[in-house]
Amino acid sequence: MLLEKLPEYFDTVSGDSETSLSLEDDVARLIINQFRWLDFVVDPSSFTDKLLQVLSICPLHLKKEIIGSLPEIIGDQNNKTVVDSLEQMLHEDPSVIVPVLDSFSNLNLDHQLQEQVITIALSCIRTIDAEHMSCLIQFLLLSATQLNVRRIISQIREHLQFVRIPHNRTMQKNKLKGKLLVDNTEASILDALRSSLQFKSLLCQEI
């Protein structure tokens, strides 16, 4: 009943995250918060199906918040359904990539689903917005295992091209204390690579 009431409150915000209501005034978010960390769900399959059904029509700011909270709401139930639904949403709206990756990271997935998630993430390398590339790279590298590390690294090497990343080249012409300004996007990608290599010796060995 609560999930079916949720769409009634979609029009209370503009959809722009910068002008969204505070939590205490946002009824839709308050409803969603009631589903976090439930001790027991009588029918988890029906609950998951209804939640994903409502999620598909949510405004973007609420959709991102729910996606990022799915591991807290769904728990370890129906992970296959959740992964398949998030993959479909990602195809329809690539802007949800960051909360989707967060959700994938926090779901308790078996080996088969983990490999499916890696395949989904790898398919995004060529199309993801530059500002989200560092999150994708870090997710892939930290998800590496002995079985998939070579595949992950080879795909990153093949598709991660700094020259293809769209950003304002004129920014590089500006000088600050005699030095070129560092592009934040490329810097964040390099930082993701650095931190991942430091965290997992497996990556260093394979590279």
Side-chain angles (χ1 to χ4, degrees), residues 77-120:
Q77 305 288 336
N78 304 295
N79 283 340
K80 173 64 174 173
T81 302
V82 172
V83 170
D84 290 342
S85 296
L86 291 181
E87 180 179 12
Q88 181 63 34
M89 290 180 197
L90 198 53
H91 288 316
E92 296 172 355
D93 184 4
S95 68
V96 300
I97 179 69
V98 173
V100 166
L101 293 177
D102 285 342
S103 189
F104 284 162
S105 298
N106 292 310
L107 288 170
N108 186 20
L109 304 176
D110 60 26
H111 172 71
Q112 184 176 354
L113 284 177
Q114 186 64 37
E115 287 305 302
Q116 180 180 345
V117 161
I118 293 295
T119 300
I120 294 169

Side-chain angles (χ1 to χ4, degrees), residues 23-91:
L23 178 59
E24 57 267 25
D25 296 323
D26 192 336
V27 178
R29 292 169 64 200
L30 288 172
I31 291 174
I32 291 299
N33 277 346
Q34 302 309 307
F35 295 114
R36 284 189 168 99
W37 307 115
L38 292 176
D39 293 327
F40 181 72
V41 178
V42 176
D43 188 351
S45 295
S46 296
F47 172 63
T48 300
D49 291 342
K50 175 61 72 172
L51 178 61
L52 293 174
Q53 179 184 345
V54 174
L55 179 58
S56 65
I57 61 173
C58 283
L60 184 58
H61 78 285
L62 186 59
K63 180 181 291 187
K64 289 180 177 180
E65 180 162 341
I66 296 176
I67 290 174
S69 302
L70 282 176
E72 302 170 5
I73 298 174
I74 301 297
D76 293 333
Q77 305 288 336
N78 304 295
N79 283 340
K80 173 64 174 173
T81 302
V82 172
V83 170
D84 290 342
S85 296
L86 291 181
E87 180 179 12
Q88 181 63 34
M89 290 180 197
L90 198 53
H91 288 316

